[in-house]
Amino acid sequence: MEHRTFLSKRNIGLDFLRAILILEGVLYHAARSLPGSNNWYYVADKNQADIFSAIIEFIHTFRMEAFFFLSGMFSAMVFARKGAQFFLNNRCKRVLLPLVASFAFIPGVMYVITAAIKGEALSLEGVLHGYTYLHHLWFLVSLSAMSFLIPGRWYNRLAQGMRRLPFLALVIALIVACNVFFVVKFLVKDSGEFISLIPVTARFAVYYAAGYALYLNSDKIPQISQSWLLNNWLVAALGLISLLAFYVVLHQHITSSLKYVPVLISSVFSVVFSYWLVFTFEKLRMKENALVKGIVDSALVIYIMHYPLVITGAWLLDDYIPDNLSVTYVFINTLVALCLSTLLYLVIKQFSALSVLFGLKPTTKSPSSLANQKG
């Protein structure tokens, strides 16, 4: 079933896309401090920016979906080329170990920051309770579950089933499955973060399985890529409809269950867009350079580190930026968090032990530099 021309060698465009999808989370979390967000750590005293907030919420409906789609596709590639044992070892190094390392300090740091924002005294009980929250690390938990708890043969069987479906039927099946799990998440939303994560993981596993199947069935890509569902104008129209739905909800201050309608509408777009993104970026003849390599290599560490920084920044910057400059406030906070997170990445990169903990390849010195040191 493996197709020799699809991802026959490393594709810089898709690596870059995956990194950008992760890093967009910095902007999303910075924007959540604007009025209109629910249950966020700090909501700024700023004017609402409905159009900007609608764009951010719209992007959020396909960002992680496309990320898991790509993850499934690359997982299938590693399985096919290097075997299950290599895949599991790689997942331990690149996903599970960074999860354990980041969970060791992120909940504690977030507890301290939250207490400072609320003006509450610190306590040991509070610290321990803080470790009942995953914060932004949930996606590493979900990715670990997809990698370690679901056998590879199950994905192979799903790929065989998806292979038999016409592309339109496949898209409809994926949309229905995603929305079923979204409804389940809504029904259990008050049962605690760890319970809610089960349907969330199941929903994103649909995208993961779809990406996995795409690689195994890559001989069908020439046919799929020509489908009318992936027409540029249709994709753009679906995106515009989804964006307008988010704008209406925000502008009309809809707080009932109707506020979830844009998410359901966007599920159609996110499935189609995941395929469209892969086919578009796979064709890019992007060459690796220092900037692209830096973005790809640092994406996970920056994403892990940005969270406490961007929330602290939202709190500290609020008094210094006028209320009518809501978008400027978000972008300044995003830029500061990105810069500080990048600095932390560069520090981590210099230490072999820390590099291993955060899934990085330790910095190695070239033979010429070693020779110069010996000389």
Side-chain angles (χ1 to χ4, degrees), residues 32-248:
R32 289 204 65 183
S33 289
L34 292 181
S37 295
N38 296 319
N39 301 321
W40 195 237
Y41 304 90
Y42 181 78
V43 178
D45 187 20
K46 294 285 180 285
N47 297 343
Q48 284 197 214
D50 292 343
I51 295 178
F52 176 73
S53 295
I55 292 172
I56 295 298
E57 291 296 331
F58 165 63
I59 293 174
H60 186 59
T61 61
F62 66 79
R63 179 178 68 88
M64 294 308 298
E65 286 78 356
F67 171 82
F68 279 104
F69 190 95
L70 284 169
S71 295
M73 192 176 67
F74 283 123
S75 295
M77 181 181 69
V78 174
F79 257 113
R81 296 181 182 177
K82 299 189 177 182
Q85 191 58 52
F86 180 90
F87 170 79
L88 294 175
N89 290 339
N90 183 266
R91 273 290 190 260
C92 283
K93 295 176 182 178
R94 308 298 181 209
V95 178
L96 191 57
L97 195 53
L99 169 61
V100 173
S102 53
F103 188 73
F105 71 93
I106 286 292
V109 171
M110 288 306 305
Y111 165 68
V112 172
I113 293 171
T114 303
I117 291 174
K118 294 180 178 179
E120 297 176 350
L122 301 179
S123 67
L124 178 59
E125 182 182 358
V127 172
L128 296 177
H129 181 70
Y131 280 86
T132 62
Y133 296 98
L134 291 170
H135 303 286
H136 64 314
L137 302 179
W138 67 266
F139 94 95
L140 289 174
V141 176
S142 295
L143 192 54
S144 296
M146 295 172 201
S147 303
F148 296 107
L149 300 183
I150 303 177
R153 64 179 181 275
W154 289 14
Y155 292 118
N156 292 334
R157 291 173 183 171
L158 285 171
Q160 292 173 2
M162 293 181 191
R163 181 180 182 84
R164 301 188 189 99
L165 295 176
F167 186 57
L168 175 60
L170 173 60
V171 168
I172 292 174
L174 294 175
I175 292 170
V176 171
C178 291
N179 284 330
V180 166
F181 289 122
F182 178 79
V183 172
V184 174
K185 176 198 170 185
F186 176 79
L187 294 176
V188 302
K189 62 184 178 68
D190 297 324
S191 301
E193 185 176 14
F194 289 92
I195 297 298
S196 298
L197 186 58
I198 296 174
V200 169
T201 300
R203 180 175 179 274
F204 285 116
V206 172
Y207 287 89
Y208 185 93
Y212 199 103
L214 180 65
Y215 181 82
L216 293 186
N217 301 327
S218 55
D219 58 300
K220 297 188 69 175
I221 286 179
Q223 175 187 352
I224 294 174
S225 62
Q226 297 302 314
S227 171
W228 60 271
L229 285 170
L230 301 179
N231 177 274
N232 293 339
W233 288 106
L234 177 61
V235 173
L238 289 173
L240 181 60
I241 292 171
S242 302
L243 176 60
L244 289 175
F246 277 107
Y247 175 76
V248 169

Side-chain angles (χ1 to χ4, degrees), residues 11-14 16-17 276-286:
N11 188 287
I12 305 300
L14 290 178
F16 185 70
L17 171 61
W276 185 89
L277 272 179
V278 167
F279 296 150
T280 300
F281 275 79
E282 196 271 338
K283 294 176 183 177
L284 292 180
R285 296 296 176 258
M286 182 180 291

